[in-house]
Amino acid sequence: MFIAQALKKKNMCEYLLYMWQVEDIIRACHHDISEIEEKVIRSYRFDADNQKLLKEWYGYLIGMMRYENVAETGHLQISKNIVAELDDFHLLYLNEGNDAGYAAKFYHILPFITQLRKKGEAGVNDIELCLNFMYGIMLLRLKKVEISVETLQAQTEISKFLALLAENYKKNENGELKFNE
């Protein structure tokens, strides 16, 4: 909860990846708040009040996942909405943001996006595709699976693009960006 709050203020892409990880942690703990408390919450060594807040947050997420029928797979609607907002912003900024550096970075990663789309992620917008890829890399690293040099190069470039997207998204939220009219 505390990490999520900080990431949401700082970098929306990192926030989404973190929340997807939290969803998977909940699944790994069988949606059991006692198991989450034992394996996750206690490891933070917070005082009793903050541990209680964290337990309530996980309980709320468990309830939401069940209610939205994403207990086994998928993502919470709030995360889907943020992905859609990021994609909407990306398209607007790409077309009207007058930022050649952003456009160049996107077109630089477009071949990677095309390759990912060919591997079965049709119907997913470019931003979600990039986030899915980054999350997949994280899972491979957790499993200690060897990752090819080409995949690591794609990860580096997509990561740079997502960082730029998140930075500009935050600037836009703060009213710091100007668009063509």
Side-chain angles (χ1 to χ4, degrees), residues 6-123:
L7 286 173
K8 193 170 186 181
K9 290 177 185 174
K10 180 183 171 195
N11 183 315
M12 198 58 78
C13 295
E14 288 181 11
Y15 167 77
L16 283 169
L17 295 172
Y18 178 79
M19 289 306 297
W20 291 357
Q21 184 179 21
V22 167
E23 291 169 349
D24 280 346
I25 288 169
I26 290 170
R27 291 179 185 116
C29 291
H30 311 97
H31 302 82
D32 180 347
I33 194 65
S34 297
E35 191 174 344
I36 291 169
E37 186 174 26
E38 178 186 326
K39 293 180 177 178
V40 179
I41 296 171
R42 288 187 185 149
S43 69
Y44 283 108
R45 293 178 174 72
F46 289 137
D47 61 34
D49 289 340
N50 283 330
Q51 284 199 1
K52 182 182 176 197
L53 285 173
L54 199 53
K55 184 177 179 179
E56 289 171 359
W57 183 70
Y58 272 99
Y60 175 73
L61 291 174
I62 290 168
M64 283 177 51
M65 288 174 71
R66 288 179 177 150
Y67 180 77
E68 294 180 15
N69 295 316
V70 293
E72 300 305 317
T73 61
H75 300 297
L76 290 167
Q77 188 61 48
I78 192 164
S79 293
K80 291 177 187 177
N81 292 347
I82 293 169
V83 171
E85 284 177 27
L86 284 169
D87 187 60
D88 288 346
F89 170 75
H90 160 69
L91 294 172
L92 177 68
Y93 196 56
L94 191 62
N95 293 320
E96 299 181 25
N98 205 20
D99 184 341
Y102 181 84
K105 181 51 81 180
F106 174 69
Y107 291 119
H108 178 71
I109 67 160
L110 200 50
F112 300 128
I113 291 172
T114 302
Q115 287 178 350
L116 291 170
R117 200 168 301 288
K118 285 180 185 176
K119 292 182 180 182
E121 295 230 34

Side-chain angles (χ1 to χ4, degrees), residues 136-146:
I137 294 292
M138 184 187 75
L139 292 177
L140 290 174
R141 285 196 167 130
L142 287 172
K143 293 177 184 178
K144 300 185 188 307
V145 172
E146 189 174 332

